[in-house]
Amino acid sequence: MIEKIVERLGESPSGREIADIISSGHLSQSPGFRDTVSMLGSGRPDQFPRAVDQLRLGDQFYRSGLHHIEFEVKNAAIKADIDVRVTDDTGNSFGYQMKRLNNPKNPFDSIAKPDNLGQLSKSVADHKVMLIDGQGSVAEWEARGIPEELLQVHKGEHPFKSEKGRGILFVLRLDDGTIIIPPGSKVDPRGVL
C-alpha cells in the first residue's frame, strides 16, 4: 500500500503538496486521518482526488488555527457521511461533504442526489456544508438557475427533491468565483473557504 501511495503522489501534480501535508505530522492524530491517507493508494480511481481534497481542507483548517479536525466521519447504521469535520474553540462544528463535478449535463441533479443530501443531513455537525468544485463561471451557473434551486433545497421547498436537503449549506467553487447558498451564510469557522 505504501508503495502505491508514493507512486501516485509522484505522478500527481499535487503530489508534493500532499506529501508535505502528510509528512508534517500535524494531522496525524486526527481521527480518520489514516483512512484518508490509505485512500491515496486505493484501487478505485475516484478515491485519490477525494483524499487530496480532504487533506487539503484539513490542512487549511489546521493552518488557520483550528486543530480539532476529523476525517471520514461515518455512521453506517443511519447512512451518515462527512468527509471532514472541524470544531472550533466554542464547540461549534462544521461538517463537509466534498464533491468534484466533471462537467455533468445537469450540475443541479449531480449535486442534489438524494443519497448525497441524505448522507450529509443525517450527519452530526452543527453546520452541514456541501462543498462543490465545478466548472464554468458564476454568471453561467446563475443564468441556469442553479443557485435558486439549491436555495429551495436548503429551505426544503424544492418541488422535485425530498426534504433531505433542508438546512444544508452549499459552497460552489467555480472557475471565476464562489457562490454561497444561502448568500451570506457562515460556512466555516475562520473564513478559510
Side-chain angles (χ1 to χ4, degrees), residues 6-90:
V6 170
E7 176 186 329
R8 288 205 175 132
L9 288 174
E11 295 170 351
S12 170
S14 56
R16 179 66 171 184
E17 171 196 3
I18 300 305
D20 288 346
I21 291 170
I22 294 168
S23 66
S24 73
H26 59 251
L27 297 173
S28 63
Q29 299 305 309
S30 297
F33 174 75
R34 290 176 189 256
D35 294 334
T36 299
V37 171
S38 70
M39 288 187 332
L40 294 169
S42 169
R44 292 179 44 198
D46 64 320
Q47 295 299 297
F48 185 87
R50 186 170 164 218
V52 165
D53 292 344
Q54 290 179 22
L55 292 169
R56 274 186 180 143
L57 185 60
D59 184 61
Q60 288 173 319
F61 284 132
Y62 186 88
R63 292 181 188 285
S64 78
L66 297 164
H67 297 156
H68 192 266
I69 301 162
E70 302 165 85
F71 297 92
E72 289 295 308
V73 182
K74 298 179 186 300
N75 182 332
I78 60 171
K79 296 184 179 177
D81 181 7
I82 298 177
D83 295 328
V84 177
R85 180 169 61 196
V86 63
T87 304
D88 67 18
D89 298 335
T90 67

Side-chain angles (χ1 to χ4, degrees), residues 15 32 36 67 129 148 152:
T36 299
H67 297 156
V129 182
E148 289 80 11
Q152 288 178 330

Side-chain angles (χ1 to χ4, degrees), residues 69-133:
I69 301 162
E70 302 165 85
F71 297 92
E72 289 295 308
V73 182
K74 298 179 186 300
N75 182 332
I78 60 171
K79 296 184 179 177
D81 181 7
I82 298 177
D83 295 328
V84 177
R85 180 169 61 196
V86 63
T87 304
D88 67 18
D89 298 335
T90 67
N92 206 13
S93 63
F94 290 76
Y96 300 89
Q97 190 176 76
M98 305 171 76
K99 300 289 177 200
R100 283 187 185 195
L101 299 183
N102 295 316
N103 287 320
K105 289 181 181 178
N106 188 332
F108 173 76
D109 283 345
S110 296
I111 294 167
K113 289 180 181 175
D115 285 349
N116 292 345
L117 298 175
Q119 288 176 354
L120 184 55
S121 66
K122 293 176 187 175
S123 62
V124 179
D126 297 312
H127 305 277
K128 298 166 185 178
V129 182
M130 188 170 291
L131 184 57
I132 308 296
D133 287 312

